[in-house]
């Protein structure tokens, strides 16, 4: 997989982009497992991506829900048995 960030919010610590091999749009944010940090990637469709580009509060609402693990069904890569915590 090749994730290409097209939008990055350093203040809110999330990004949006497209996975280049599949064309899947995503929202991602950093997660910490203590000894290692990594990104969790959540699938969104193109229309949602375009809406989030114009509506930051809607994107932040999505990110907040994902950080609470309310949107796990949208994870592009399923986490292992030891899952990190959103940073």
């Amino acid at each position: 997989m090749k994730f290409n960030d097209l939008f990055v919010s350093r203040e809110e610590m999330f990004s949006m982009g497209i996975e280049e091999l599949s064309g899947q749009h995503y929202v991602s944010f950093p997660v910490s497992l203590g000894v290692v940090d990594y990104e969790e990637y959540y699938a969104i469709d193109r229309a949602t991506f375009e809406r989030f580009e114009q509506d930051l509060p809607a994107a932040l609402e999505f990110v907040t829900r994902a950080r609470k693990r309310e949107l796990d069904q949208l994870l592009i890569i399923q986490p292992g048995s030891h899952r990190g915590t959103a940073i």
Side-chain angles (χ1 to χ4, degrees):
M1 294 189 159
K2 185 171 182 185
F3 295 99
N4 182 16
D5 292 344
L6 301 175
F7 171 86
V8 176
S9 173
R10 294 191 191 283
E11 299 80 24
E12 301 297 340
M13 296 181 66
F14 79 96
S15 61
M16 299 188 309
I18 190 166
E19 196 285 311
E20 292 186 358
L21 300 177
S22 68
Q24 176 67 63
H25 288 82
Y26 66 84
V27 171
S28 69
F29 53 85
V31 178
S32 180
L33 194 53
V35 296
V36 66
D37 294 341
Y38 63 96
E39 295 276 321
E40 285 191 345
Y41 295 89
Y42 292 78
I44 57 173
D45 60 26
R46 182 178 178 169
T48 301
F49 177 86
E50 290 172 355
R51 180 169 55 93
F52 286 173
E53 282 185 306
Q54 302 301 316
D55 186 356
L56 185 59
L60 288 174
E61 181 181 329
F62 180 96
V63 170
T64 298
R65 290 187 64 210
R67 286 179 174 145
K68 293 178 183 177
R69 300 183 178 176
E70 295 175 1
L71 301 173
D72 283 359
Q73 72 276 11
L74 300 176
L75 279 164
I76 295 174
I77 301 170
Q78 294 300 314
S81 59
H82 298 291
R83 186 170 177 188
T85 303
I87 297 175

